[in-house]
Amino acid sequence: MTRTATARQAFKAAEDVLKTLGQALADLQVYTHEHRRFDEAIVDLSKEIDGFFESNESFHNLTFRVHEAQIEFQGVPLTRLGHQGARLVPVLARSKHEAFQFLPGVTHAELGRFVRALTLFAKHQSGTLEKTISELGGGRGLEKIHSLTNFSWDSLLPVTETTEEEAVFPVYDPVGGGLELPEIRVPNATFRSVLTTYRSLLSSLEDGRRVDQTMLLEVADEVVDVFGDAKHSVIPGNSLSYFDDFTFHHSVNVSLLVTRAAAGVTTDRELLKRIALAGLLHDVGKSRVPAELLHKPGRLTDEEFEVLKEHPLAGAEILMGIDSIDPLSIAVAFSHHMHAGPSAYPKVTREMPLNWITRLVSVVDVYEALVAVRPYKDGLSSRTAFRIMLEMPGLQDRRELVKLLYESVGPYPTGVIVELNSGARAVVTGQNAADRSRPRVRILTDPDKNLLERPVDVDLAGTSEVPEEVSHAGPLAIHETVRITDVVEDPLRDKIAPEPQDILGSPLTDDSNLMGREG
């Protein structure tokens, strides 16, 4: 293995550690430290750290530095941390953790105390982190986790001979900010904020605490703010690519997508805030569905499906228990599965007229489910998702709303990786309203998938000058989407995964399968 390959391996493993640490912090916000879910997160974190040292034997410590709103490893900012890792930055900054270091052999107990202490100290900002850790451990500190002050990378003995040039491997994660696309950064920051609020809401409901109505209104305001400026009216493509805790992400994605679509037909700010909140809360009833059922990788049994079908009624009941909650949110939570397909639920004794917002949420619900990664399926490209939605029997009475959603996100949403007809790969950076199939892109590789020294911005609908290294015999156009899944290591080089044809043995257009289980 070359030194460059070794550096890539080390950086990838370090990123995985931070993602898992971020997930543990998120679980602690929702569950108690005694909850099984938090314990599982610590076990996963321990495995990632052990895996780092096993695969990188030349490293005698794993050190991270928090510097200028970024986390560094080996002096290089890490930008591919995803949503899990991104939430670490503000927490570590508040804890005054200039740098922290894991040593081989760190125990589960130490990791558990470290995560708990980090959360408490960042929240209260009193005393010292070391004192908090000691108090949680009954006077014991941490032997294998060190907090470093007055830290510089020069002070750390080098553990490899890797040069900085070799260490900086290709950064293509639009959400992480490595491509410096400001129109993507804004929605991604909002995504994390809304996700935190939604987690806090479910935590309050689980603990029987009063829900902070002001918090919900503020987050709805934040969503609407994003779509008040056409330049920032995008959904980051990679927010649709996740695996663990997909129920949280699903609700936030639906809120963003339905607000963006609704902004195409109304400028009423108060109505848009109500729509954003209804989209966020539409699946709150799933908090009463067993996690093992939601994450089940195989087909649900008839009995399990009946349990799942209780979530709209549960959601309406939960929301009715919140003081001054918007009736629209209750209506959407109860009836977003009342489509025209055979698997519609809940069953009612007489036909219920559904408002257009509820019907729009149900359309967005299905779209998000199609493009997202689930424990039991891969995600589809946006283009394929729209084609399937137009064929679904349950959405035939909502084709105009499908079109409205299409107009807001297009077949190639901003932030997704695409392959051009030249063979080069690019990230979509913006839409062209006149022709959604020809967006603006930033070309990242040549036709042979080699990274360009300097990315090239091209408007596929215009007459942009195209450098020779990425040129094509005819006009440049998108050939297909490079779907991001959990198994893809490098979407700039890997072969394009084929589009799934079914879910659990049934066609994607089968209402009884997709529309019954999803959303």
Side-chain angles (χ1 to χ4, degrees), residues 228-517:
D229 182 347
K231 187 175 76 171
H232 295 312
S233 296
V234 299
I235 302 293
N238 280 13
S239 75
L240 304 176
S241 178
Y242 52 81
F243 190 77
D244 192 30
D245 276 349
F246 65 83
T247 50
F248 291 106
H249 290 255
H250 167 74
S251 295
V252 177
N253 277 330
V254 168
S255 178
L256 289 168
L257 287 164
V258 76
T259 306
R260 175 68 188 99
V265 294
T266 180
T267 57
D268 186 332
R269 183 178 181 85
E270 290 306 310
L271 177 58
L272 289 174
K273 286 170 61 177
R274 296 178 65 197
I275 292 172
L277 192 57
L280 182 65
L281 301 178
H282 80 284
D283 258 352
V284 70
K286 283 189 174 177
S287 62
R288 294 184 180 175
V289 177
E292 58 270 18
L293 192 155
L294 292 174
H295 291 256
K296 182 179 178 180
R299 179 183 289 274
L300 299 181
T301 65
D302 292 343
E303 293 77 13
E304 289 170 334
F305 192 40
E306 289 302 314
V307 174
L308 180 70
K309 285 161 59 174
E310 294 174 1
H311 83 265
L313 179 58
E317 290 177 343
I318 289 171
L319 295 179
M320 285 190 291
I322 300 177
D323 294 340
S324 304
I325 194 68
D326 186 352
L328 176 64
S329 293
I330 300 174
V332 170
F334 180 75
S335 53
H336 67 282
H337 275 288
M338 289 183 176
H339 49 74
S343 60
Y345 62 89
K347 302 298 182 183
V348 291
T349 55
R350 60 181 180 179
E351 184 176 352
M352 286 182 58
L354 303 180
N355 60 66
W356 71 273
I357 297 171
T358 298
R359 290 184 286 121
L360 179 60
V361 170
S362 70
V363 167
V364 173
D365 212 17
V366 174
Y367 170 80
E368 201 283 338
L370 285 168
V371 299
V373 177
R374 292 287 195 260
Y376 44 84
K377 77 172 189 69
D378 290 334
L380 294 173
S381 66
S382 180
R383 183 179 182 181
T384 300
F386 281 114
R387 177 182 60 76
I388 288 172
M389 291 170 70
L390 291 173
E391 298 174 5
M392 283 184 165
L395 296 183
Q396 291 308 298
D397 65 336
R398 301 172 193 192
R399 291 174 68 91
E400 286 302 312
L401 295 175
V402 174
K403 181 180 178 182
L404 177 63
L405 178 62
Y406 176 89
E407 290 299 321
S408 69
V409 299
Y412 306 110
T414 302
V416 302
I417 304 292
V418 294
E419 182 165 301
L420 305 179
N421 53 357
S422 67
R425 293 197 178 173
V427 60
V428 176
T429 59
Q431 303 296 317
N432 284 306
D435 188 352
R436 296 283 177 178
S437 67
R438 302 181 71 83
R440 299 189 303 277
V441 300
R442 177 165 295 174
I443 302 177
L444 306 175
T445 78
D446 64 20
D448 295 323
K449 310 298 183 294
N450 299 310
L451 275 170
L452 300 175
E453 290 186 8
R454 185 182 297 274
V456 178
D457 291 321
V458 174
D459 186 341
L460 295 179
T463 57
S464 302
E465 184 176 345
V466 181
E468 183 178 345
E469 63 264 31
V470 294
S471 61
H472 190 252
L476 282 177
I478 293 177
H479 172 56
E480 58 185 321
T481 302
V482 180
R483 293 185 305 105
I484 307 295
T485 69
D486 280 346
V487 298
V488 172
E489 290 294 331
D490 190 343
L492 298 187
R493 291 182 173 81
D494 286 357
K495 292 182 179 179
I496 297 176
E499 298 272 10
Q501 299 300 309
D502 58 49
I503 294 179
L504 304 178
S506 299
L508 287 164
T509 53
D510 182 359
D511 286 356
S512 62
N513 194 342
L514 184 76
M515 297 184 72
R517 175 164 178 168

Side-chain angles (χ1 to χ4, degrees), residues 170-238:
V171 174
Y172 51 77
D173 178 6
V175 175
L179 298 176
E180 298 181 358
L181 302 177
E183 63 268 46
I184 292 177
R185 282 181 174 177
V186 174
N188 190 52
T190 300
F191 184 94
R192 292 196 298 270
S193 176
V194 181
L195 183 61
T196 300
T197 298
Y198 190 57
R199 287 179 180 276
S200 178
L201 165 68
L202 295 190
S203 178
S204 296
L205 293 172
E206 186 177 272
D207 296 341
R209 291 181 279 121
R210 183 179 178 181
V211 172
D212 185 351
Q213 181 79 345
T214 302
M215 173 188 67
L216 294 178
L217 295 176
E218 286 178 351
V219 79
D221 223 16
E222 189 173 357
V223 172
V224 176
D225 277 340
V226 170
F227 301 113
D229 182 347
K231 187 175 76 171
H232 295 312
S233 296
V234 299
I235 302 293
N238 280 13

